Amino acid sequence: MTPNWKDPFWTNPADPHISTAAKTLIEGSTRPFYIVQNPAYSLVLKDNVWGKALNRIVVEQISPEQAADQAIARIKQIFDQWQ
């Protein structure tokens, strides 16, 4: 997209909203969401794996390590089913 960023539309100081957003994208470091790298992660988000782990820590008072281990096991299970 480098040629597009040279268009004056993106750097026009008269419109601070577009120029600020463009500056962030041009100069900043961006990275894609995990679901772009592996679509199985969308199922991890849908299943709310990490939210359920936090809930178990707070409500059921299990250790964070145990909740993390269970969440990681669930994530591995989702990824294995995806393949």
Side-chain angles (χ1 to χ4, degrees), residues 1 11 22 26 28 30 33-34 47 72 75:
M1 288 192 45
T11 57
I26 293 167
T30 58
F33 292 110
Y34 294 121
D47 197 32
I72 291 168
I75 291 170

Side-chain angles (χ1 to χ4, degrees), residues 51-65:
K52 289 177 181 177
L54 287 172
N55 183 61
R56 296 202 63 214
I57 294 167
V58 174
V59 175
E60 298 176 24
Q61 297 184 354
I62 67 171
S63 73
E65 292 80 9

Side-chain angles (χ1 to χ4, degrees), residues 10 17 20 40 56 59-60 63 66 68 71-72 77 80 82:
W10 299 107
H17 304 290
T20 300
R56 296 202 63 214
V59 175
E60 298 176 24
S63 73
Q66 186 180 2
I72 291 168
Q77 180 184 29
D80 289 343
W82 179 261

Side-chain angles (χ1 to χ4, degrees), residues 21-41:
K23 182 179 178 182
T24 301
L25 293 171
I26 293 167
E27 296 175 4
S29 174
T30 58
R31 66 177 186 186
F33 292 110
Y34 294 121
I35 58 175
V36 173
Q37 297 169 350
N38 191 322
Y41 200 76

Side-chain angles (χ1 to χ4, degrees), residues 4-19:
N4 293 335
W5 294 125
K6 293 179 182 177
D7 186 319
F9 172 81
W10 299 107
T11 57
N12 183 358
D15 187 340
H17 304 290
I18 293 177
S19 62

